[in-house]
């Protein structure tokens, strides 16, 4: 449980050090519960590009989740050309943004993260997919989702930046000790 909390804090830190340049043209207003994210998790976690641990958010404001992938200091943007429930991702921009992380630290996010509005306030909250267990009876994956409400009404870019910074600080502290 402590390992999960540390990863969750790391994710929050990562989110705060990354500035997003999403086009905010009248985004579709939709709210998501933990249950909604659990139902959608499989299609986004096991995506058609086999991208491990993406940031999952509606970058283009069309009401469907897209993928951002942190790859060796570069952020790649994959647009969802499918539906919300049955996504299909196309590489939209291989150089969407950049981020810096010390070479001694692991690259990317420690788990897949959804950014979605839970309470209808128009600000994204964070849902982390912390556990994926295969259920042999249903022959499907069951997902454990942790939720962090955006109580400070921060935008997505600020959240990503905070998470990146926290991850870096925690990892540096772990290396020192």
């Amino acid at each position: 449980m402590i390992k999960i909390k540390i990863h969750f804090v790391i994710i929050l830190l990562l989110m705060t050090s990354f500035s997003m340049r999403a086009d905010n043209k009248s985004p579709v207003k939709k709210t998501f519960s933990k249950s909604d994210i659990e139902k959608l998790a499989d299609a986004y976690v096991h995506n058609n590009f086999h991208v491990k641990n993406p940031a999952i958010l509606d970058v283009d404001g069309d009401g469907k989740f897209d993928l951002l992938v942190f790859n060796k200091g570069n952020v790649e943007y994959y647009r969802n050309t499918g539906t919300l429930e049955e996504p299909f991702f196309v590489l939209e921009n291989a150089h969407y943004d950049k981020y810096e992380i010390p070479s001694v630290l692991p690259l990317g996010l420690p788990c897949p993260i959804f950014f979605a509005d839970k309470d209808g306030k128009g600000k994204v909250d964070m849902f982390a997919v912390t556990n994926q267990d295969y259920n042999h009876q249903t022959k499907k994956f069951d997902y454990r989702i942790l939720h962090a409400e955006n109580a400070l009404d921060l935008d997505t870019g600020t959240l990503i930046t905070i998470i990146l910074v926290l991850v870096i600080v925690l990892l540096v502290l772990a290396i020192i000790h």
Side-chain angles (χ1 to χ4, degrees):
M1 188 64 164
I2 291 173
K3 185 176 181 180
I4 291 172
K5 288 183 181 181
I6 289 172
H7 283 302
F8 201 56
V9 170
I10 289 172
I11 292 166
L12 287 172
L13 288 172
L14 281 171
M15 296 304 290
T16 52
S17 69
F18 177 67
S19 62
M20 297 213 14
R21 299 178 305 219
D23 182 10
N24 290 329
K25 55 182 177 196
S26 64
V28 176
K29 302 278 191 233
K30 181 157 177 65
T31 59
F32 294 87
S33 67
K34 273 175 67 171
S35 173
D36 294 332
I37 298 298
E38 286 173 359
K39 290 175 187 170
L40 292 171
D42 196 50
Y44 289 86
V45 171
H46 301 286
N47 55 72
N48 61 285
F49 275 101
H50 307 289
V51 172
K52 184 178 177 189
N53 300 343
I56 304 161
L57 64 151
D58 185 4
V59 174
D60 56 9
D62 65 356
K64 303 176 290 188
F65 289 114
D66 305 300
L67 301 181
L68 291 181
V69 178
F70 297 82
N71 187 6
K72 299 178 184 174
N74 184 52
V75 181
E76 299 167 354
Y77 164 42
Y78 295 85
R79 186 169 53 91
N80 181 357
T81 61
T83 65
L84 179 66
E85 294 80 12
E86 294 183 23
F88 185 82
F89 300 99
V90 174
L91 180 60
E92 182 75 16
N93 189 341
H95 303 285
Y96 182 71
D97 209 340
K98 297 229 173 274
Y99 68 100
E100 292 184 29
I101 190 162
S103 62
V104 296
L105 301 176
L107 301 171
L109 298 174
C111 65
I113 304 171
F114 281 85
F115 291 95
D117 189 356
K118 182 177 185 201
D119 50 20
K121 291 182 181 177
K123 298 290 182 178
V124 294
D125 302 299
M126 187 175 75
F127 299 84
V129 181
T130 60
N131 198 4
Q132 305 171 41
D133 293 323
Y134 188 74
N135 185 328
H136 292 286
Q137 292 177 338
T138 63
K139 298 191 184 319
K140 292 183 180 181
F141 280 94
D142 293 328
Y143 297 92
R144 178 154 187 245
I145 308 293
L146 293 181
H147 170 257
E149 186 171 342
N150 185 354
L152 299 176
D153 290 334
L154 302 172
D155 65 13
T156 307
T158 304
L159 283 174
I160 290 173
T161 302
I162 290 169
I163 290 174
L164 285 170
V165 169
L166 289 173
V167 168
I168 291 168
V169 169
L170 287 174
L171 291 172
V172 167
L173 289 174
I175 291 170
I176 292 172
H177 289 89

